[in-house]
Amino acid sequence: MDADLKMVKMAESARSLKLRDNDTGSLIPTVDDGTSRSEIEVVVVVANSTGSSNETIIVGNAISSNTTVLSVVNDDFSTNSTSRNDTISSNTLADDEGDRMSSSGTPGFNYTKAVSALETNNGSNSQQVMGAVPERKMKPICNVEGRTEFCEMKGDIRIHGKSSTVFMSASSMENSSWIISPYARKGDEEALNHVTKWSIKSGAMDGYGLPRCDQKHEVPAIVFSLGGYAGNNFHDYTDIIIPLYQTSRQFDGEVKFLFTDKNPWWINKFKTILGKLSRYEPIDIDKEEQVHCFGSVIVGLKRDPKELRIDPSKSHYSMKDFRQFLRSAYSLKKGTAIKMTDKVRKRKPRLLILSRRRTRAFTNTNDIARLARSLGYKVVVTEADSNVARVAETVNACDVMVGVHGAGLTNMVFLPDKAILIQIVPIGGFEWIARTDFEEPSKDMNIRYLEYKIKTEESSLIQQYPAHHEVISNPSAIQKQGWEAFKSVYLQQQNVNLDIHRFRDTLLRAFELLHM
C-alpha cells in the first residue's frame, strides 16, 4: 500500500448483516441464522503502472451493509456508488474545508491519512482500522426556534476552532451538514452580521474526513458567540446570560464554555456568573488550531422567544430560578421587598433613581430625589456600570427602582421579590418596546410594575424641534423611516425633565403598593 494506491473497496462477506444490541450495549454483526460475526472483508485494489492487485483484509468490528467504492483522485475521496444511510460516504469535506484544515496544521482529508488508519497487526494478514467507530447511530439534533437555533450532539465530537467547524463521527448515517450562528437572536441581521457562522458536519469516520484528536475533554461543551449586541446590558442578559443559564444549568458546573467572537471586556464583566455556571476556564475556540474532542456538545443557546424570559412549561427552569441563582452568585441578602405595616412605619422604603449620563437622562434628578424624600422614601441615586457586583448589591437593597426606558432597567433582575419598577416612557411611540422589554418580563420576575408616560413638555426634544415638526406632532412618521431613524431621534437625542407635580401621584401609588 504505497503512494500509487488508487482505489479502496469495502465489501461484505455476508450479504445479510443485522445489528443485535447485546446486554453490554455494543453492536455485533449477525447473519440470518443468528450466528454472530465480528468481521467483514475489505478488498483493497491497488493500481499502478504495472497493473493492479487485490488484497483481502479482515477488519474487526467494522460494520457496513453494502459495497462502497472510494476512488482516490488528487488526494480527495469521491464515491463511485450510491450512498445510503448505512454507507460509508466520502463527501464529508468540501475542497475549501479540506484546505482550511490542512493550512491550519491539522491533518487534512487525503488518502495518505486514510491509508495510515490501517495498521498491520504483528506482520499477519489481519489488519484493523485505527480509531474507534461509534457503536450506535448518532445524528446531530438541530433546532430552529423563534429567536434562536442550536444543535445538540452526543458521540465522538471534534471541534476545529480556526475553521469554525464541528465534526461528528457516525457509522450509520448519511453525510449531513448545518450552518449555524450561535447567538440567540435569530432573524436580527444586524446582530448576526457580527457573529461567526459555524459548520456542523456529520457522517465522518477516522481517516475519512475526521480530523485527528489533539485534546480530549471529559465534560460536555457549549459553543456560543460573544458577538451580536454583546456589551449592551439588555442584550447581555436577554441574548446571552439568560439563554446560557437555561442551556448550561443542567450540567451543574461540569461543562466547558467555548467562546467564539471572544470579548475580553464582556468576560470580565460577567466572570462571576460564568464561574458559577462552569467550573472550568473558558476556551477562546476561534484561535485553536488543535482539535478538541468531546462526548457531548451544544452549539448555540436555548432561549424563549420573548425578552428576559424562561418559559417553565418548556424548560426545567424559570425566571424565579434564575433570579435565585443571581442572588446566590452575588451573595445578595434581600429576598423580598419591604412590606409597610404599623410595626415597620419607622423603616423607610428605599427608592433607587437610576441616572443616565448621556441620552435619556433626567435633567432634574435633584428635584425628583427631594420629592421622594418628602413622601417618606430613603433615596439612592446611581448609574449602572460594568461593575455587576456593585450594581447587583445596590439594586437588591432597594424596594422601588425608577428609570427612563433603557438597558439600565435590565438590572431589575436583582430587585427583591414584590419590589416595584417604575419605567419612565419618553415620547416617540415607545409603548410597544417598553411593554415587551420590561413590563411583560416583570411579571415572571414577581416584580410589580408602574409606568409614567411623559408629555411633550417634559421632553428635551421640544427645545430642538418646533411644535409643528413631525418629530413632535407625528412620531409615527419617523417610525416608518425605520429603526435607525427612530433610534437617532428618540433614543439618542432625548432627555427627560419630569413634571414633579404629575410624577408625585406615581410615587404615592408605589408607596401604597408596599402596604399591600
Side-chain angles (χ1 to χ4, degrees), residues 294-310:
F294 298 87
S296 176
V297 173
I298 299 175
V299 181
L301 300 175
K302 304 173 184 178
R303 71 159 286 177
D304 191 89
K306 296 184 178 180
E307 309 290 9
L308 302 175
R309 184 172 186 258
I310 300 174

mmCIF file of all heavy atoms in Angstrom, residues 294-310:
data_model
loop_
_atom_site.group_PDB
_atom_site.id
_atom_site.type_symbol
_atom_site.label_atom_id
_atom_site.label_comp_id
_atom_site.label_asym_id
_atom_site.label_seq_id
_atom_site.Cartn_x
_atom_site.Cartn_y
_atom_site.Cartn_z
ATOM 1 N N PHE A 294 -14.890 16.006 22.328
ATOM 2 C CA PHE A 294 -15.858 15.923 23.412
ATOM 3 C C PHE A 294 -16.828 14.777 23.145
ATOM 4 O O PHE A 294 -17.016 14.357 22.002
ATOM 5 C CB PHE A 294 -16.656 17.222 23.530
ATOM 6 C CG PHE A 294 -15.830 18.427 23.862
ATOM 7 C CD1 PHE A 294 -15.223 19.172 22.847
ATOM 8 C CD2 PHE A 294 -15.652 18.832 25.162
ATOM 9 C CE1 PHE A 294 -14.459 20.295 23.135
ATOM 10 C CE2 PHE A 294 -14.898 19.963 25.474
ATOM 11 C CZ PHE A 294 -14.295 20.684 24.454
ATOM 12 N N GLY A 295 -17.478 14.321 24.198
ATOM 13 C CA GLY A 295 -18.521 13.310 24.048
ATOM 14 C C GLY A 295 -19.903 13.912 23.910
ATOM 15 O O GLY A 295 -20.847 13.238 23.505
ATOM 16 N N SER A 296 -20.019 15.205 24.239
ATOM 17 C CA SER A 296 -21.305 15.888 24.137
ATOM 18 C C SER A 296 -21.046 17.366 23.880
ATOM 19 O O SER A 296 -20.227 17.986 24.557
ATOM 20 C CB SER A 296 -22.114 15.709 25.421
ATOM 21 O OG SER A 296 -23.330 16.436 25.374
ATOM 22 N N VAL A 297 -21.754 17.926 22.899
ATOM 23 C CA VAL A 297 -21.555 19.328 22.527
ATOM 24 C C VAL A 297 -22.894 19.964 22.190
ATOM 25 O O VAL A 297 -23.742 19.353 21.531
ATOM 26 C CB VAL A 297 -20.597 19.462 21.316
ATOM 27 C CG1 VAL A 297 -20.543 20.907 20.826
ATOM 28 C CG2 VAL A 297 -19.193 18.983 21.672
ATOM 29 N N ILE A 298 -23.076 21.197 22.647
ATOM 30 C CA ILE A 298 -24.213 22.019 22.226
ATOM 31 C C ILE A 298 -23.640 23.248 21.537
ATOM 32 O O ILE A 298 -22.801 23.945 22.100
ATOM 33 C CB ILE A 298 -25.089 22.446 23.419
ATOM 34 C CG1 ILE A 298 -25.669 21.225 24.135
ATOM 35 C CG2 ILE A 298 -26.226 23.358 22.947
ATOM 36 C CD1 ILE A 298 -26.455 21.570 25.399
ATOM 37 N N VAL A 299 -24.071 23.497 20.316
ATOM 38 C CA VAL A 299 -23.662 24.690 19.580
ATOM 39 C C VAL A 299 -24.856 25.628 19.526
ATOM 40 O O VAL A 299 -25.903 25.282 18.980
ATOM 41 C CB VAL A 299 -23.186 24.343 18.156
ATOM 42 C CG1 VAL A 299 -22.742 25.607 17.432
ATOM 43 C CG2 VAL A 299 -22.043 23.336 18.199
ATOM 44 N N GLY A 300 -24.708 26.824 20.105
ATOM 45 C CA GLY A 300 -25.831 27.746 20.207
ATOM 46 C C GLY A 300 -26.485 27.645 21.574
ATOM 47 O O GLY A 300 -26.171 26.756 22.373
ATOM 48 N N LEU A 301 -27.412 28.559 21.847
ATOM 49 C CA LEU A 301 -28.064 28.628 23.151
ATOM 50 C C LEU A 301 -29.580 28.547 23.021
ATOM 51 O O LEU A 301 -30.161 29.061 22.062
ATOM 52 C CB LEU A 301 -27.684 29.941 23.858
ATOM 53 C CG LEU A 301 -26.202 30.169 24.143
ATOM 54 C CD1 LEU A 301 -25.982 31.548 24.735
ATOM 55 C CD2 LEU A 301 -25.636 29.084 25.049
ATOM 56 N N LYS A 302 -30.199 27.924 24.006
ATOM 57 C CA LYS A 302 -31.658 27.865 24.061
ATOM 58 C C LYS A 302 -32.187 29.167 24.653
ATOM 59 O O LYS A 302 -31.604 29.724 25.577
ATOM 60 C CB LYS A 302 -32.093 26.681 24.933
ATOM 61 C CG LYS A 302 -31.525 25.338 24.492
ATOM 62 C CD LYS A 302 -31.856 24.239 25.489
ATOM 63 C CE LYS A 302 -31.207 22.926 25.084
ATOM 64 N NZ LYS A 302 -31.465 21.844 26.069
ATOM 65 N N ARG A 303 -33.313 29.641 24.128
ATOM 66 C CA ARG A 303 -33.907 30.847 24.694
ATOM 67 C C ARG A 303 -35.390 30.907 24.373
ATOM 68 O O ARG A 303 -35.870 30.268 23.428
ATOM 69 C CB ARG A 303 -33.223 32.114 24.211
ATOM 70 C CG ARG A 303 -33.472 32.477 22.763
ATOM 71 C CD ARG A 303 -33.214 33.965 22.504
ATOM 72 N NE ARG A 303 -34.279 34.804 23.060
ATOM 73 C CZ ARG A 303 -34.276 36.132 23.016
ATOM 74 N NH1 ARG A 303 -33.246 36.778 22.494
ATOM 75 N NH2 ARG A 303 -35.284 36.827 23.513
ATOM 76 N N ASP A 304 -36.102 31.682 25.152
ATOM 77 C CA ASP A 304 -37.519 31.905 24.918
ATOM 78 C C ASP A 304 -37.683 32.977 23.837
ATOM 79 O O ASP A 304 -36.854 33.877 23.724
ATOM 80 C CB ASP A 304 -38.186 32.371 26.214
ATOM 81 C CG ASP A 304 -39.694 32.364 26.137
ATOM 82 O OD1 ASP A 304 -40.293 31.324 26.452
ATOM 83 O OD2 ASP A 304 -40.277 33.395 25.733
ATOM 84 N N PRO A 305 -38.736 32.895 23.027
ATOM 85 C CA PRO A 305 -38.950 33.925 22.007
ATOM 86 C C PRO A 305 -39.132 35.317 22.587
ATOM 87 O O PRO A 305 -38.824 36.319 21.929
ATOM 88 C CB PRO A 305 -40.225 33.457 21.289
ATOM 89 C CG PRO A 305 -40.313 31.997 21.571
ATOM 90 C CD PRO A 305 -39.730 31.807 22.929
ATOM 91 N N LYS A 306 -39.629 35.418 23.828
ATOM 92 C CA LYS A 306 -39.845 36.716 24.452
ATOM 93 C C LYS A 306 -38.590 37.162 25.194
ATOM 94 O O LYS A 306 -37.732 36.357 25.539
ATOM 95 C CB LYS A 306 -41.045 36.659 25.401
ATOM 96 C CG LYS A 306 -42.362 36.376 24.691
ATOM 97 C CD LYS A 306 -43.531 36.421 25.664
ATOM 98 C CE LYS A 306 -44.848 36.186 24.942
ATOM 99 N NZ LYS A 306 -46.018 36.228 25.865
ATOM 100 N N GLU A 307 -38.515 38.455 25.453
ATOM 101 C CA GLU A 307 -37.334 39.020 26.089
ATOM 102 C C GLU A 307 -37.299 38.706 27.584
ATOM 103 O O GLU A 307 -38.334 38.681 28.258
ATOM 104 C CB GLU A 307 -37.309 40.551 25.895
ATOM 105 C CG GLU A 307 -37.493 41.015 24.461
ATOM 106 C CD GLU A 307 -36.282 40.699 23.562
ATOM 107 O OE1 GLU A 307 -35.377 39.971 24.009
ATOM 108 O OE2 GLU A 307 -36.257 41.188 22.424
ATOM 109 N N LEU A 308 -36.076 38.495 28.101
ATOM 110 C CA LEU A 308 -35.839 38.316 29.535
ATOM 111 C C LEU A 308 -36.795 37.293 30.142
ATOM 112 O O LEU A 308 -37.373 37.505 31.200
ATOM 113 C CB LEU A 308 -35.970 39.660 30.271
ATOM 114 C CG LEU A 308 -35.042 40.789 29.813
ATOM 115 C CD1 LEU A 308 -35.380 42.079 30.541
ATOM 116 C CD2 LEU A 308 -33.579 40.437 30.042
ATOM 117 N N ARG A 309 -36.932 36.151 29.485
ATOM 118 C CA ARG A 309 -37.942 35.187 29.940
ATOM 119 C C ARG A 309 -37.445 33.761 29.773
ATOM 120 O O ARG A 309 -36.710 33.433 28.848
ATOM 121 C CB ARG A 309 -39.235 35.371 29.143
ATOM 122 C CG ARG A 309 -40.379 34.474 29.603
ATOM 123 C CD ARG A 309 -41.670 34.869 28.897
ATOM 124 N NE ARG A 309 -42.815 34.133 29.417
ATOM 125 C CZ ARG A 309 -43.375 33.095 28.810
ATOM 126 N NH1 ARG A 309 -42.906 32.662 27.652
ATOM 127 N NH2 ARG A 309 -44.416 32.478 29.334
ATOM 128 N N ILE A 310 -37.863 32.907 30.702
ATOM 129 C CA ILE A 310 -37.725 31.458 30.590
ATOM 130 C C ILE A 310 -39.114 30.876 30.806
ATOM 131 O O ILE A 310 -39.738 31.126 31.840
ATOM 132 C CB ILE A 310 -36.753 30.889 31.642
ATOM 133 C CG1 ILE A 310 -35.356 31.490 31.472
ATOM 134 C CG2 ILE A 310 -36.680 29.368 31.543
ATOM 135 C CD1 ILE A 310 -34.369 31.083 32.561
#
